[in-house]
């Protein structure tokens, strides 16, 4: 069973995402900010990270940048209401996929499946 | 500044000590203001929000708290500062952002670098109110935010284990924001007793009302408190459009300190020779004149003459509710006045405003704004009775008109306004005594019956501090405009007119009413 780490400060979004993914047969862990996510990845590396952008303590872009700097090569999906073309120029585009908020359940699952290669 | 000390009292004492030392470094008169960028709101707040202060913004769902606070955030980021929007709701703020993206004040390039939206709900679930406090302090400090919106104060209140815990939460929240130099806006939709501790503890309290009066809905903003700063008291109209919130300070409050200038020397021509003669030279400059009369008596025509004397150097403003600019131009052309040319040269601006759902404060602010913008020296307001129709509380009308006239006089404007009277002939009672007392000059138009025809007449009832001809003068309107004096015999009654059925009963009185009274 694949493990997915959902990194999201908004409770309802993390709850909905978790329920969807668990229904699809995934094991889901949740972190509420980027710093917590880094600790969780170090302790228990997931098969996929789904990351929000705007979060307290450490935002999603900084988290992704640090993960890649540490050598983490797993797939990362960035999920945010900020348009992808509006992401800061300084960000080194460490994510593998992008999904715009708000999203429909079907869109979300299809994006996850594509990233995990239909595992 | 690390994590929260174990002993909350220690923190409060420590913070109070720091704050006391900060306060003594600042003169009370120099409290910095944070301009909201919301039109009219900074006027109500007498300069803006107080920097480093905590405000409660309270209102029912749909009152406009979210739009207002977002608009204030973007006003803040436009000045290069950083804002933080923290939500305690479980719902996603992405939906809110989607709606805000439709508003004219939304600046996508500022999100999230200068305005960040985060949720504190997870922190509340996991660590309770102390977790929320820690998150707020850390994020405010980390981002260098000088404006913090805390949306969902009532959620914190519901989560508090006691009133005491909630009081401490508000107190510490306020203290943190002040220490970090951030202005804090706490949004809530829960109506609590004004004596509740949170209202006492915060520095300011702004309430948004959404009221329905019979069929009309009106939004009102009221500042209950602003510690250390004055504000305009009472309720002020505001609107929400695609541009955001616009506040219209209540006219009587906004213009209350307006000192009318001394009446300027000199006269302003009516543009009607006979009338200037009756006024012994014309209207006194910067005076206000009310033309009162029945529909069709010629009130607007007098106004057209008045504004026809404007020049690009001394322009005029025509403000009306009934006749569209095209109709006015055509009407003026029929009496030899070229309004189109005046518009072209900048000698005149015509503002036609459909009454619709307009409110009087909005209308008055529009009039004054147009006068200031154009530099108008002459103002004609056609249909002052329309102001009454736009009022929810009619008793405000004399106060509003009085405030407007003082403001216009302070701007050096000579004003003429019209008011409709239902009495066709000479009224026994003006029925609008309160309005006539507000104006410097009052003219009465009425009909009279002479030799089988209706004639139009003008009487000057009052010219303040000046002499005038106290007689009723007959006038008529021709291709040259208003001309005083009786028409000739053939002009009075066309040759092919049917015999006047009342000719044998012609008593020679001005009105049937008057004939009835005399004959009794």
């Amino acid at each position: 069973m694949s493990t997915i780490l959902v990194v999201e400060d908004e409770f309802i979004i993390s709850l909905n995402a978790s329920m969807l993914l668990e229904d699809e047969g995934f094991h889901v862990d949740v972190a509420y900010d980027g710093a917590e996510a880094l600790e969780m990845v170090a302790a228990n590396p997931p098969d996929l990270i789904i990351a929000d952008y705007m979060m307290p303590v450490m935002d999603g872009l900084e988290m992704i940048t640090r993960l890649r700097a540490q050598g983490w090569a797993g797939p990362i999906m960035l999920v945010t209401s900020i348009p992808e073309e509006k992401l800061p120029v300084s960000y080194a585009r460490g994510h593998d996929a992008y999904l715009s908020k708000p999203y429909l359940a079907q869109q979300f699952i299809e994006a996850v499946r594509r990233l995990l290669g239909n595992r | 500044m690390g994590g929260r000390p174990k002993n909350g009292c220690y923190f409060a004492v420590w913070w109070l000590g720091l704050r006391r030392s900060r306060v003594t470094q600042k003169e009370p008169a120099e409290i910095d203001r944070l301009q909201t960028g919301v039109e009219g709101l900074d006027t109500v707040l007498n300069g803006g929000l107080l920097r480093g202060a905590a405000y409660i913004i309270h209102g029912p769902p749909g009152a406009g708290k979210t739009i207002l606070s977002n608009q204030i955030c973007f006003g803040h980021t436009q000045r290069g500062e950083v804002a933080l929007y923290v939500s305690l709701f479980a719902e996603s703020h992405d939906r809110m952002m989607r709606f805000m993206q439709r508003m004219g004040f939304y600046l996508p390039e500022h999100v999230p670098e200068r305005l960040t939206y985060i949720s504190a709900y997870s922190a509340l679930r996991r660590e309770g109110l102390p977790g929320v406090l820690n998150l707020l302090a850390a994020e405010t400090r980390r981002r260098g935010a000088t404006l913090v919106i805390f949306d969902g104060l009532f959620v914190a209140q519901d989560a508090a284990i006691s009133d005491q815990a909630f009081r401490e939460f508000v107190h510490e929240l306020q203290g943190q924001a002040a220490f970090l130099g951030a202005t804090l806006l706490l949004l809530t939709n829960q109506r609590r007793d004004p004596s509740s501790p949170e209202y006492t503890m915060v520095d300011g309290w702004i309430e948004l009302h959404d009221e329905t009066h019979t069929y009309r809905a009106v939004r009102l903003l009221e500042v209950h408190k602003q510690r250390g700063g004055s504000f305009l008291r009472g309720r002020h109209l505001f609107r929400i459009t695609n541009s955001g919130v616009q506040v219209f300070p209540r006219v009587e409050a906004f213009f209350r300190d307006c000192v009318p200038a001394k009446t300027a020397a000199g006269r302003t021509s009516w543009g009607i020779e006979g009338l200037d003669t009756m006024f012994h030279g014309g209207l006194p400059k910067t005076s206000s004149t009310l033309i009162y009369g029945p529909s069709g008596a010629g009130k607007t025509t007098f106004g057209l003459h008045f504004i026809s004397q404007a020049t690009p150097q001394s322009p005029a403003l025509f403000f009306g509710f009934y006749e569209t600019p095209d109709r006015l131009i055509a009407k003026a052309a029929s009496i030899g006045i070229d309004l189109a040319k005046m518009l072209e040269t900048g000698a005149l601006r015509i503002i036609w405003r459909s009454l619709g759902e307009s409110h009087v404060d909005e209308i008055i602010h529009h009039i004054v704004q147009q006068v200031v913008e154009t530099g108008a020296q002459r103002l004609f307001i056609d249909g002052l009775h329309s102001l009454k129709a736009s009022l929810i509380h009619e008793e405000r009308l004399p106060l509003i008109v009085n405030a407007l006239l003082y403001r216009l006089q302070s701007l050096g404007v000579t004003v003429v306004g019209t008011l409709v009277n239902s009495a066709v002939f000479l009224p026994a009672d003006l029925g609008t005594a309160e309005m006539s007392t507000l104006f410097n000059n009052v003219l009465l138009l009425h009909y009279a019956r002479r030799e089988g025809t209706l004639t139009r007449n003008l009487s000057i009832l009052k010219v303040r501090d000046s002499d005038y001809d106290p007689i009723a003068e007959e006038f008529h309107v021709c291709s040259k405009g208003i001309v005083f004096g009786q028409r000739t015999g053939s002009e009075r009654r066309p040759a092919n007119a049917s015999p006047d059925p009342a000719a044998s009963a012609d008593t020679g009185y001005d009105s049937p009413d008057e004939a009835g009274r005399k004959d009794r």
Side-chain angles (χ1 to χ4, degrees):
Chain A
M1 183 191 290
S2 297
T3 297
I4 298 178
L5 174 63
V6 173
V7 191
E8 169 64 64
D9 66 317
E10 293 200 74
F11 176 73
I12 285 292
I13 295 177
S14 65
L15 181 68
N16 287 341
S18 298
M19 286 167 55
L20 264 175
L21 293 169
E22 283 168 357
D23 283 348
E24 292 292 314
F26 296 104
H27 173 78
V28 181
D29 289 326
V30 177
Y32 293 100
D33 61 65
E36 186 180 7
L38 288 177
E39 290 174 7
M40 292 175 72
V41 169
N44 186 22
D47 297 294
L48 167 65
I49 298 174
I50 299 173
D52 182 24
Y53 175 2
M54 284 192 284
M55 291 184 292
V57 187
M58 182 187 293
D59 68 39
L61 300 192
E62 186 181 346
M63 180 203 76
I64 293 170
T65 303
R66 286 191 186 217
L67 276 174
R68 294 307 188 204
Q70 290 168 7
W72 199 77
I76 301 175
M77 180 162 71
L78 181 64
V79 184
T80 176
S81 55
I82 305 296
E84 195 173 18
E85 64 272 17
K86 299 282 187 184
L87 295 176
V89 177
S90 57
Y91 167 59
R93 297 306 191 267
H95 59 282
D96 301 287
Y98 168 90
L99 185 63
S100 175
K101 280 181 181 175
Y103 50 79
L104 297 175
Q106 191 60 32
Q107 282 178 296
F108 181 67
I109 293 300
E110 285 171 2
V112 168
R113 290 281 181 211
R114 275 197 298 273
L115 267 180
L116 287 176
N118 290 316
R119 276 184 240 179
Chain B
M1 186 175 167
R4 187 168 182 273
K6 287 182 188 172
N7 188 331
C9 292
Y10 168 78
F11 175 83
V13 170
W14 169 59
W15 167 76
L16 278 171
L18 283 168
R19 192 168 190 193
R20 199 175 295 119
S21 65
R22 280 172 62 85
V23 167
T24 54
Q25 293 167 10
K26 214 172 188 39
E27 292 296 319
E30 295 173 7
I31 296 177
D32 289 335
R33 294 284 184 155
L34 185 153
Q35 293 193 320
T36 64
V38 176
E39 190 178 339
L41 180 55
D42 289 335
T43 302
V44 172
L45 294 170
N46 202 19
L49 298 167
L50 300 170
R51 278 196 183 265
Y55 290 78
I56 285 179
I57 298 182
H58 163 260
K65 302 183 297 295
T66 305
I67 292 179
L68 179 63
S69 54
N70 271 274
Q71 191 173 346
I72 295 174
C73 281
F74 282 103
H76 198 65
T77 60
Q78 267 200 306
R79 285 187 298 275
E81 299 193 60
V82 175
L84 177 64
Y85 196 109
V86 182
S87 170
L88 254 195
F89 297 115
E91 291 82 10
S92 164
H93 53 239
D94 291 308
R95 284 168 64 87
M96 175 188 64
M97 285 176 62
R98 277 223 153 197
F99 293 134
M100 292 305 124
Q101 285 168 8
R102 299 178 198 169
M103 307 301 289
F105 58 76
Y106 188 85
L107 299 167
E109 64 272 22
H110 287 192
V111 181
E113 284 78 21
R114 290 196 214 168
L115 170 57
T116 308
Y117 295 87
I118 60 172
S119 172
Y121 186 76
S122 300
L124 178 68
R125 277 178 56 92
R126 294 198 292 180
E127 300 167 55
L129 293 180
V132 174
L133 283 171
N134 283 341
L135 182 144
L136 266 165
E139 290 304 303
T140 302
R141 193 169 60 247
R142 188 165 76 90
R143 297 171 192 277
T146 48
L147 172 66
V148 177
I149 311 296
F150 186 79
D151 193 356
L153 183 64
F154 67 95
V155 177
Q157 198 220 331
D158 289 344
I161 55 173
S162 65
D163 277 352
Q164 171 72 15
F166 181 59
R167 270 199 297 275
E168 285 178 4
F169 172 76
V170 174
H171 182 68
E172 293 182 32
L173 194 62
Q174 190 176 352
Q176 280 181 358
F179 181 68
L180 294 169
T183 303
L184 178 64
L185 303 185
L186 305 162
L187 311 190
T188 183
N189 61 11
Q190 198 171 54
R191 192 56 163 104
R192 304 228 304 162
D193 192 284
S195 62
S196 296
E198 66 272 25
Y199 294 113
T200 312
M201 291 158 67
V202 294
D203 302 298
W205 173 17
I206 299 170
E207 185 169 7
L208 305 185
H209 304 269
D210 194 352
E211 300 178 352
T212 303
H213 298 268
T214 316
Y215 302 108
R216 297 180 71 186
V218 61
R219 297 181 189 273
L220 299 166
L221 178 146
E222 184 174 10
V223 179
H224 291 288
K225 172 183 174 184
Q226 181 165 250
R227 193 182 285 152
S230 59
F231 55 92
L232 286 185
R233 293 180 61 85
R235 296 186 177 187
H236 309 278
L237 172 76
F238 74 93
R239 283 202 185 275
I240 300 179
T241 65
N242 286 343
S243 302
V245 172
Q246 186 178 5
V247 179
F248 302 95
R250 194 166 47 84
V251 170
E252 312 93 292
F254 183 43
F255 294 139
R256 75 179 190 282
D257 292 332
C258 192
V259 178
K262 289 181 183 174
T263 303
R267 298 278 171 160
T268 300
S269 171
W270 273 102
I272 306 171
E273 191 180 324
L275 192 52
D276 283 340
T277 303
M278 289 171 73
F279 268 83
H280 291 205
L283 276 172
K285 272 190 191 296
T286 72
S287 65
S288 56
T289 303
L290 179 65
I291 302 178
Y292 183 55
S295 184
K299 299 185 296 298
T300 304
T301 309
F302 276 90
L304 289 174
H305 276 284
F306 173 66
I307 62 169
S308 72
Q309 302 301 294
T311 63
Q313 295 73 36
S314 181
L317 180 66
F318 185 111
F319 199 100
F321 303 94
Y322 298 106
E323 294 186 83
T324 62
D326 285 345
R327 282 188 62 181
L328 273 175
I329 291 171
K331 183 172 188 161
S334 72
I335 57 172
I337 295 174
D338 189 352
L339 289 191
K341 186 169 181 192
M342 292 182 73
L343 289 169
E344 205 179 308
T345 60
L348 172 68
R349 182 178 289 187
I350 298 176
I351 304 292
W352 171 72
R353 194 178 173 119
S354 172
L355 265 184
E357 288 275 329
S358 293
H359 292 279
V360 72
D361 297 275
E362 194 177 352
I363 295 169
I364 299 298
H365 279 287
H366 190 190
I367 291 174
V368 173
Q369 181 252 333
Q370 288 293 312
V371 165
V372 170
E373 193 174 295
T374 59
Q377 300 292 295
R378 292 170 183 253
L379 168 64
F380 181 67
I381 306 176
D382 197 14
L384 284 167
H385 43 279
S386 306
L387 295 181
K388 194 173 181 181
S390 71
L391 267 175
I392 289 173
H393 301 287
E394 292 183 0
E395 64 272 15
R396 289 182 62 203
L397 185 61
L399 298 172
I400 287 169
V401 173
N402 193 47
L404 172 63
L405 293 179
Y406 273 152
R407 177 62 179 140
L408 292 171
Q409 191 184 13
S410 76
L411 290 170
V413 182
T414 305
V415 185
V416 175
T418 66
L419 190 68
V420 78
N421 169 31
S422 58
V424 174
F425 298 99
L426 194 65
D429 174 8
L430 277 182
T432 183
E434 57 190 16
M435 282 280 259
S436 61
T437 58
L438 300 173
F439 286 79
N440 300 132
N441 320 310
V442 180
L443 276 61
L444 175 67
L445 305 186
H446 61 97
Y447 289 92
R449 210 145 161 248
R450 287 203 180 89
E451 297 172 8
T453 58
L454 276 181
T455 62
R456 300 191 221 194
N457 290 260
L458 174 144
S459 302
I460 302 176
L461 299 184
K462 174 175 85 165
V463 179
R464 191 166 290 159
D465 301 330
S466 177
D467 205 0
Y468 60 92
D469 285 349
I471 53 175
E473 285 282 355
E474 183 179 329
F475 70 91
H476 60 276
V477 183
C478 63
S479 60
K480 288 182 281 188
I482 289 173
V483 176
F484 280 89
Q486 290 188 10
R487 289 179 192 256
T488 61
S490 61
E491 288 170 334
R492 272 186 173 279
R493 195 169 183 79
N496 58 350
S498 303
D500 179 9
S504 60
D506 190 346
T507 60
Y509 291 115
D510 283 349
S511 73
D513 288 342
E514 193 179 341
R517 284 195 293 275
K518 291 283 186 184
D519 287 346
R520 274 191 224 116

